[in-house]
Amino acid sequence: MYAKHTQQMKEEVTEIAPFDPTKKRRQNILIVDPGDDYLVDKLAKKTENLPGETLCKGLNKGFGTLLAGLLVFFIEYVADATGQIFQAVFIGVAVFLLVSF
């Protein structure tokens, strides 16, 4: 039974075509529908900035930086006015609160 089975396997193997490296494999070509402009529209919306938006972003960043600087000076003023021992505690608490938000 084993010999019969191996004989069948040998017959099946001879029916398989040998590997031919000269034949080139057919490549799959992706065809994009020219009417499908979803990705182009998405990219255009990301890169499109109106002058008012850019100006508003710049003013917002500048105002935020100014407020952060004023906050630092206020914390330093209060820390200096309270005394040397409380100064370290106040600065530590202020830094912790600023970092946590």
Side-chain angles (χ1 to χ4, degrees), residues 4-86:
K4 186 178 182 182
H5 181 64
T6 55
Q7 185 64 26
Q8 286 177 344
M9 292 288 286
K10 287 180 182 178
E11 289 174 2
E12 288 178 9
V13 170
T14 56
E15 293 174 3
I16 296 175
F19 175 71
D20 188 9
T22 60
K23 289 186 179 179
K24 293 189 176 180
R25 189 173 166 205
R26 186 175 141 199
Q27 295 179 356
N28 294 333
I29 299 172
L30 177 65
I31 299 174
V32 179
D33 183 21
D36 188 21
D37 292 335
Y38 171 73
L39 295 175
V40 175
D41 291 340
K42 188 176 175 184
L43 181 62
K45 285 180 183 177
K46 281 185 176 180
T47 58
E48 176 181 295
N49 281 334
L50 298 175
E53 292 176 29
T54 306
L55 180 64
C56 184
K57 286 180 185 178
L59 288 175
N60 190 12
K61 287 181 182 179
F63 188 64
T65 304
L66 181 67
L67 283 179
L70 290 175
L71 183 63
V72 168
F73 281 118
F74 175 72
I75 290 173
E76 181 184 2
Y77 174 76
V78 171
D80 284 339
T82 56
Q84 189 172 6
I85 295 174
F86 189 68

